[in-house]
Short mmCIF file of all heavy atoms in Angstrom, two decimals:
data_model
loop_
_atom_site.label_atom_id
_atom_site.label_comp_id
_atom_site.label_asym_id
_atom_site.label_seq_id
_atom_site.Cartn_x
_atom_site.Cartn_y
_atom_site.Cartn_z
N VAL A 833 -178.60 -61.21 -50.47
CA VAL A 833 -178.09 -62.50 -50.88
C VAL A 833 -178.18 -62.55 -52.34
O VAL A 833 -179.25 -62.53 -52.91
CB VAL A 833 -178.90 -63.64 -50.17
CG1 VAL A 833 -178.44 -65.01 -50.62
CG2 VAL A 833 -179.01 -63.47 -48.65
N VAL A 834 -176.97 -62.73 -52.96
CA VAL A 834 -176.87 -62.69 -54.42
C VAL A 834 -176.46 -64.20 -54.87
O VAL A 834 -175.45 -64.67 -54.45
CB VAL A 834 -175.85 -61.69 -54.94
CG1 VAL A 834 -175.77 -61.72 -56.45
CG2 VAL A 834 -176.20 -60.28 -54.42
N VAL A 835 -177.25 -64.71 -55.70
CA VAL A 835 -177.01 -66.02 -56.30
C VAL A 835 -176.32 -65.82 -57.60
O VAL A 835 -176.85 -65.36 -58.52
CB VAL A 835 -178.27 -66.82 -56.50
CG1 VAL A 835 -177.98 -68.24 -57.05
CG2 VAL A 835 -179.07 -66.92 -55.07
N ALA A 836 -175.05 -66.21 -57.72
CA ALA A 836 -174.28 -66.11 -58.96
C ALA A 836 -173.38 -67.33 -58.99
O ALA A 836 -172.22 -67.32 -58.83
CB ALA A 836 -173.44 -64.87 -58.86
N VAL A 837 -174.03 -68.45 -59.31
CA VAL A 837 -173.29 -69.75 -59.49
C VAL A 837 -173.58 -70.43 -60.73
O VAL A 837 -174.52 -70.14 -61.45
CB VAL A 837 -173.74 -70.75 -58.24
CG1 VAL A 837 -173.39 -70.15 -56.87
CG2 VAL A 837 -175.18 -71.00 -58.38
N PRO A 838 -172.58 -71.24 -61.21
CA PRO A 838 -172.87 -71.99 -62.52
C PRO A 838 -173.94 -73.12 -62.35
O PRO A 838 -174.31 -73.57 -61.24
CB PRO A 838 -171.59 -72.69 -62.77
CG PRO A 838 -170.89 -72.84 -61.42
CD PRO A 838 -171.39 -71.66 -60.57
N VAL A 839 -174.58 -73.50 -63.46
CA VAL A 839 -175.60 -74.53 -63.41
C VAL A 839 -174.92 -75.87 -63.27
O VAL A 839 -173.90 -76.25 -63.93
CB VAL A 839 -176.33 -74.52 -64.83
CG1 VAL A 839 -177.22 -75.73 -64.93
CG2 VAL A 839 -177.03 -73.23 -65.09
N ALA A 840 -175.39 -76.62 -62.26
CA ALA A 840 -174.94 -77.99 -61.99
C ALA A 840 -176.00 -78.61 -61.12
O ALA A 840 -176.86 -77.93 -60.52
CB ALA A 840 -173.58 -77.88 -61.21
N ASP A 841 -175.94 -79.94 -61.07
CA ASP A 841 -176.87 -80.66 -60.28
C ASP A 841 -176.84 -80.20 -58.83
O ASP A 841 -177.90 -80.09 -58.13
CB ASP A 841 -176.53 -82.20 -60.31
CG ASP A 841 -176.93 -82.78 -61.62
OD1 ASP A 841 -177.71 -82.26 -62.40
OD2 ASP A 841 -176.42 -83.91 -61.98
N GLU A 842 -175.73 -79.97 -58.34
CA GLU A 842 -175.54 -79.43 -56.94
C GLU A 842 -176.12 -78.07 -56.66
O GLU A 842 -176.45 -77.75 -55.52
CB GLU A 842 -174.08 -79.37 -56.50
CG GLU A 842 -173.25 -80.63 -56.71
CD GLU A 842 -172.66 -80.67 -58.17
OE1 GLU A 842 -172.02 -79.79 -58.61
OE2 GLU A 842 -173.00 -81.70 -58.74
N THR A 843 -176.33 -77.33 -57.66
CA THR A 843 -176.87 -75.87 -57.51
C THR A 843 -178.32 -75.75 -57.73
O THR A 843 -178.81 -74.71 -57.56
CB THR A 843 -176.01 -74.89 -58.30
OG1 THR A 843 -176.10 -75.32 -59.76
CG2 THR A 843 -174.58 -74.86 -57.94
N ARG A 844 -178.92 -76.84 -58.34
CA ARG A 844 -180.41 -76.71 -58.53
C ARG A 844 -181.13 -76.53 -57.28
O ARG A 844 -180.89 -77.31 -56.26
CB ARG A 844 -180.83 -78.06 -59.32
CG ARG A 844 -182.33 -77.99 -59.45
CD ARG A 844 -182.86 -79.13 -60.37
NE ARG A 844 -184.23 -79.30 -60.47
CZ ARG A 844 -184.99 -78.45 -61.01
NH1 ARG A 844 -184.57 -77.41 -61.55
NH2 ARG A 844 -186.35 -78.64 -60.98
N HIS A 845 -181.92 -75.58 -57.19
CA HIS A 845 -182.73 -75.18 -55.97
C HIS A 845 -181.75 -74.92 -54.74
O HIS A 845 -182.08 -75.27 -53.58
CB HIS A 845 -183.76 -76.25 -55.65
CG HIS A 845 -184.91 -76.19 -56.52
ND1 HIS A 845 -185.89 -77.15 -56.43
CD2 HIS A 845 -185.14 -75.46 -57.62
CE1 HIS A 845 -186.86 -76.85 -57.43
NE2 HIS A 845 -186.34 -75.88 -58.09
N LEU A 846 -180.67 -74.40 -55.12
CA LEU A 846 -179.66 -73.87 -54.08
C LEU A 846 -180.36 -73.08 -52.99
O LEU A 846 -180.04 -73.08 -51.78
CB LEU A 846 -178.56 -73.18 -54.76
CG LEU A 846 -177.44 -72.65 -53.90
CD1 LEU A 846 -176.50 -73.70 -53.34
CD2 LEU A 846 -176.59 -71.63 -54.72
N MET A 847 -181.29 -72.16 -53.49
CA MET A 847 -182.13 -71.35 -52.60
C MET A 847 -183.44 -71.96 -52.56
O MET A 847 -184.21 -71.93 -53.52
CB MET A 847 -182.08 -69.93 -53.09
CG MET A 847 -180.75 -69.19 -53.11
SD MET A 847 -180.00 -69.13 -51.52
CE MET A 847 -181.13 -68.10 -50.59
N SER A 848 -183.83 -72.46 -51.34
CA SER A 848 -185.21 -73.01 -51.10
C SER A 848 -185.69 -72.78 -49.74
O SER A 848 -185.07 -71.80 -49.10
CB SER A 848 -185.14 -74.54 -51.41
OG SER A 848 -186.44 -75.07 -51.57
N THR A 849 -186.62 -73.48 -49.20
CA THR A 849 -187.27 -73.17 -48.00
C THR A 849 -186.27 -72.97 -46.81
O THR A 849 -186.35 -72.04 -46.02
CB THR A 849 -188.25 -74.33 -47.58
OG1 THR A 849 -189.13 -74.52 -48.74
CG2 THR A 849 -188.96 -74.05 -46.38
N GLU A 850 -185.32 -73.82 -46.60
CA GLU A 850 -184.31 -73.72 -45.53
C GLU A 850 -183.54 -72.45 -45.68
O GLU A 850 -183.27 -71.80 -44.69
CB GLU A 850 -183.44 -75.03 -45.47
CG GLU A 850 -182.41 -74.96 -44.32
CD GLU A 850 -181.62 -76.21 -44.34
OE1 GLU A 850 -182.04 -77.27 -44.91
OE2 GLU A 850 -180.51 -76.18 -43.85
N GLU A 851 -183.06 -72.18 -46.81
CA GLU A 851 -182.24 -70.97 -47.03
C GLU A 851 -183.00 -69.75 -46.86
O GLU A 851 -182.47 -68.77 -46.28
CB GLU A 851 -181.63 -71.08 -48.40
CG GLU A 851 -180.49 -72.21 -48.64
CD GLU A 851 -181.13 -73.60 -48.73
OE1 GLU A 851 -182.25 -73.70 -49.13
OE2 GLU A 851 -180.44 -74.54 -48.39
N PHE A 852 -184.20 -69.68 -47.38
CA PHE A 852 -185.05 -68.52 -47.15
C PHE A 852 -185.36 -68.25 -45.68
O PHE A 852 -185.28 -67.15 -45.15
CB PHE A 852 -186.43 -68.68 -47.93
CG PHE A 852 -186.29 -68.81 -49.35
CD1 PHE A 852 -187.18 -69.59 -50.05
CD2 PHE A 852 -185.28 -68.18 -50.10
CE1 PHE A 852 -187.08 -69.74 -51.47
CE2 PHE A 852 -185.13 -68.33 -51.44
CZ PHE A 852 -186.05 -69.10 -52.14
N ALA A 853 -185.56 -69.35 -44.89
CA ALA A 853 -185.85 -69.24 -43.46
C ALA A 853 -184.60 -68.70 -42.73
O ALA A 853 -184.70 -68.10 -41.68
CB ALA A 853 -186.27 -70.55 -42.91
N ALA A 854 -183.37 -68.95 -43.25
CA ALA A 854 -182.17 -68.45 -42.65
C ALA A 854 -181.88 -66.99 -42.91
O ALA A 854 -181.01 -66.38 -42.20
CB ALA A 854 -180.92 -69.34 -43.15
N MET A 855 -182.69 -66.43 -43.83
CA MET A 855 -182.41 -64.95 -44.15
C MET A 855 -183.11 -64.04 -43.15
O MET A 855 -184.06 -64.44 -42.60
CB MET A 855 -182.99 -64.66 -45.58
CG MET A 855 -182.13 -65.43 -46.66
SD MET A 855 -182.92 -65.37 -48.28
CE MET A 855 -182.88 -63.61 -48.61
N CYS A 856 -182.58 -62.87 -42.93
CA CYS A 856 -183.22 -62.02 -42.02
C CYS A 856 -184.47 -61.41 -42.69
O CYS A 856 -184.61 -61.49 -43.89
CB CYS A 856 -182.22 -60.86 -41.64
SG CYS A 856 -181.63 -59.79 -42.86
N ASP A 857 -185.42 -60.98 -41.85
CA ASP A 857 -186.70 -60.62 -42.35
C ASP A 857 -186.78 -59.44 -43.38
O ASP A 857 -187.83 -59.30 -43.97
CB ASP A 857 -187.70 -60.42 -41.25
CG ASP A 857 -187.37 -59.30 -40.31
OD1 ASP A 857 -186.31 -58.66 -40.50
OD2 ASP A 857 -188.10 -59.12 -39.37
N ASP A 858 -185.75 -58.61 -43.45
CA ASP A 858 -185.68 -57.57 -44.44
C ASP A 858 -184.67 -57.79 -45.56
O ASP A 858 -184.36 -56.85 -46.34
CB ASP A 858 -185.49 -56.19 -43.75
CG ASP A 858 -184.16 -56.09 -42.97
OD1 ASP A 858 -183.48 -57.17 -42.76
OD2 ASP A 858 -183.83 -54.94 -42.71
N ALA A 859 -184.12 -59.03 -45.67
CA ALA A 859 -183.13 -59.25 -46.68
C ALA A 859 -183.77 -59.27 -48.05
O ALA A 859 -184.89 -59.58 -48.32
CB ALA A 859 -182.52 -60.65 -46.37
N ILE A 860 -182.92 -59.08 -49.04
CA ILE A 860 -183.26 -59.11 -50.48
C ILE A 860 -182.42 -60.19 -51.18
O ILE A 860 -181.26 -60.19 -51.06
CB ILE A 860 -182.99 -57.72 -51.10
CG1 ILE A 860 -183.72 -56.63 -50.38
CG2 ILE A 860 -183.36 -57.82 -52.63
CD1 ILE A 860 -185.22 -56.69 -50.40
N LEU A 861 -183.18 -61.08 -51.89
CA LEU A 861 -182.50 -62.10 -52.68
C LEU A 861 -182.42 -61.65 -54.15
O LEU A 861 -183.45 -61.16 -54.68
CB LEU A 861 -183.32 -63.43 -52.63
CG LEU A 861 -182.97 -64.51 -53.64
CD1 LEU A 861 -181.63 -65.16 -53.15
CD2 LEU A 861 -183.98 -65.55 -53.67
N ILE A 862 -181.16 -61.81 -54.67
CA ILE A 862 -181.05 -61.37 -56.02
C ILE A 862 -180.42 -62.59 -56.79
O ILE A 862 -179.35 -63.11 -56.42
CB ILE A 862 -180.01 -60.14 -56.16
CG1 ILE A 862 -180.61 -58.95 -55.38
CG2 ILE A 862 -179.79 -59.77 -57.62
CD1 ILE A 862 -179.53 -57.87 -55.23
N ASN A 863 -181.16 -63.03 -57.80
CA ASN A 863 -180.64 -64.18 -58.64
C ASN A 863 -180.15 -63.64 -59.95
O ASN A 863 -180.93 -63.19 -60.83
CB ASN A 863 -181.75 -65.18 -58.83
CG ASN A 863 -181.23 -66.44 -59.66
OD1 ASN A 863 -180.02 -66.59 -59.72
ND2 ASN A 863 -182.08 -67.25 -60.09
N VAL A 864 -178.86 -63.69 -60.18
CA VAL A 864 -178.24 -63.32 -61.49
C VAL A 864 -177.57 -64.54 -62.09
O VAL A 864 -176.78 -64.43 -63.04
CB VAL A 864 -177.20 -62.15 -61.37
CG1 VAL A 864 -177.96 -60.91 -61.00
CG2 VAL A 864 -176.10 -62.51 -60.38
N ALA A 865 -177.86 -65.67 -61.57
CA ALA A 865 -177.36 -67.00 -62.07
C ALA A 865 -178.30 -67.53 -63.19
O ALA A 865 -178.44 -67.03 -64.20
CB ALA A 865 -177.14 -67.98 -60.94
N ARG A 866 -178.90 -68.67 -62.89
CA ARG A 866 -179.85 -69.25 -63.74
C ARG A 866 -181.15 -69.56 -62.91
O ARG A 866 -181.11 -69.72 -61.72
CB ARG A 866 -179.36 -70.57 -64.26
CG ARG A 866 -178.13 -70.30 -65.23
CD ARG A 866 -178.64 -69.64 -66.57
NE ARG A 866 -177.62 -69.43 -67.49
CZ ARG A 866 -177.20 -68.25 -67.88
NH1 ARG A 866 -177.59 -67.13 -67.36
NH2 ARG A 866 -176.19 -68.09 -68.75
N GLY A 867 -182.29 -69.70 -63.59
CA GLY A 867 -183.50 -69.93 -62.97
C GLY A 867 -183.65 -71.12 -61.95
O GLY A 867 -184.14 -70.95 -60.92
N PRO A 868 -183.15 -72.31 -62.36
CA PRO A 868 -183.19 -73.46 -61.43
C PRO A 868 -182.49 -73.25 -60.22
O PRO A 868 -182.60 -74.12 -59.17
CB PRO A 868 -182.68 -74.60 -62.31
CG PRO A 868 -182.72 -74.14 -63.73
CD PRO A 868 -182.56 -72.61 -63.64
N MET A 869 -181.67 -72.22 -59.89
CA MET A 869 -180.95 -72.11 -58.76
C MET A 869 -181.95 -71.73 -57.55
O MET A 869 -181.60 -71.95 -56.43
CB MET A 869 -179.92 -70.96 -58.80
CG MET A 869 -178.85 -71.10 -59.84
SD MET A 869 -178.08 -72.72 -60.00
CE MET A 869 -178.71 -73.29 -61.60
N VAL A 870 -183.06 -71.06 -57.93
CA VAL A 870 -184.04 -70.69 -56.88
C VAL A 870 -185.26 -71.53 -57.14
O VAL A 870 -185.89 -71.64 -58.18
CB VAL A 870 -184.30 -69.23 -57.11
CG1 VAL A 870 -185.40 -68.77 -56.11
CG2 VAL A 870 -183.10 -68.40 -56.81
N ASP A 871 -185.72 -72.12 -56.01
CA ASP A 871 -186.89 -72.96 -56.02
C ASP A 871 -188.13 -71.99 -55.99
O ASP A 871 -188.38 -71.39 -55.04
CB ASP A 871 -186.96 -73.83 -54.72
CG ASP A 871 -188.17 -74.68 -54.63
OD1 ASP A 871 -189.20 -74.41 -55.28
OD2 ASP A 871 -188.11 -75.66 -53.76
N GLN A 872 -188.72 -71.82 -57.28
CA GLN A 872 -189.75 -70.83 -57.32
C GLN A 872 -190.94 -70.99 -56.46
O GLN A 872 -191.56 -70.10 -55.89
CB GLN A 872 -190.15 -70.62 -58.87
CG GLN A 872 -189.32 -69.61 -59.56
CD GLN A 872 -189.71 -69.37 -60.91
OE1 GLN A 872 -188.88 -69.24 -61.77
NE2 GLN A 872 -191.06 -69.40 -61.19
N ALA A 873 -191.38 -72.26 -56.34
CA ALA A 873 -192.61 -72.64 -55.50
C ALA A 873 -192.19 -72.12 -53.99
O ALA A 873 -193.10 -71.52 -53.34
CB ALA A 873 -192.96 -74.03 -55.57
N ALA A 874 -191.08 -72.50 -53.54
CA ALA A 874 -190.63 -72.20 -52.20
C ALA A 874 -190.52 -70.68 -52.05
O ALA A 874 -190.85 -70.10 -50.99
CB ALA A 874 -189.33 -72.87 -51.74
N LEU A 875 -190.06 -70.02 -53.10
CA LEU A 875 -189.84 -68.60 -53.05
C LEU A 875 -191.23 -67.89 -52.96
O LEU A 875 -191.33 -67.02 -52.17
CB LEU A 875 -189.13 -68.09 -54.35
CG LEU A 875 -189.12 -66.55 -54.54
CD1 LEU A 875 -188.16 -66.00 -53.47
CD2 LEU A 875 -188.57 -66.26 -55.94
N VAL A 876 -192.17 -68.31 -53.75
CA VAL A 876 -193.56 -67.68 -53.66
C VAL A 876 -194.04 -67.91 -52.19
O VAL A 876 -194.55 -66.99 -51.58
CB VAL A 876 -194.47 -68.34 -54.64
CG1 VAL A 876 -195.96 -67.96 -54.40
CG2 VAL A 876 -194.09 -67.89 -56.04
N ASP A 877 -193.98 -69.14 -51.62
CA ASP A 877 -194.42 -69.41 -50.27
C ASP A 877 -193.79 -68.48 -49.29
O ASP A 877 -194.45 -67.92 -48.43
CB ASP A 877 -194.16 -70.81 -49.85
CG ASP A 877 -195.06 -71.86 -50.68
OD1 ASP A 877 -196.02 -71.40 -51.27
OD2 ASP A 877 -194.72 -73.08 -50.70
N ALA A 878 -192.48 -68.27 -49.35
CA ALA A 878 -191.65 -67.47 -48.48
C ALA A 878 -192.08 -65.99 -48.58
O ALA A 878 -192.22 -65.33 -47.59
CB ALA A 878 -190.21 -67.64 -48.67
N LEU A 879 -192.21 -65.53 -49.75
CA LEU A 879 -192.63 -64.17 -49.90
C LEU A 879 -194.04 -63.85 -49.37
O LEU A 879 -194.30 -62.84 -48.74
CB LEU A 879 -192.41 -63.74 -51.33
CG LEU A 879 -191.10 -63.65 -51.99
CD1 LEU A 879 -191.07 -63.37 -53.40
CD2 LEU A 879 -190.23 -62.56 -51.22
#
Side-chain angles (χ1 to χ4, degrees):
V833 176
V834 180
V835 180
V837 296
V839 175
D841 289 340
E842 309 82 58
T843 58
R844 178 173 170 68
H845 289 179
L846 179 71
M847 296 299 297
S848 194
T849 305
E850 182 180 336
E851 291 74 25
F852 299 146
M855 294 168 63
C856 61
D857 61 359
D858 62 345
I860 303 296
L861 171 71
I862 302 170
N863 183 13
V864 295
R866 294 290 182 248
M869 306 310 114
V870 174
D871 180 343
Q872 271 184 216
L875 175 64
V876 167
D877 291 344
L879 290 173

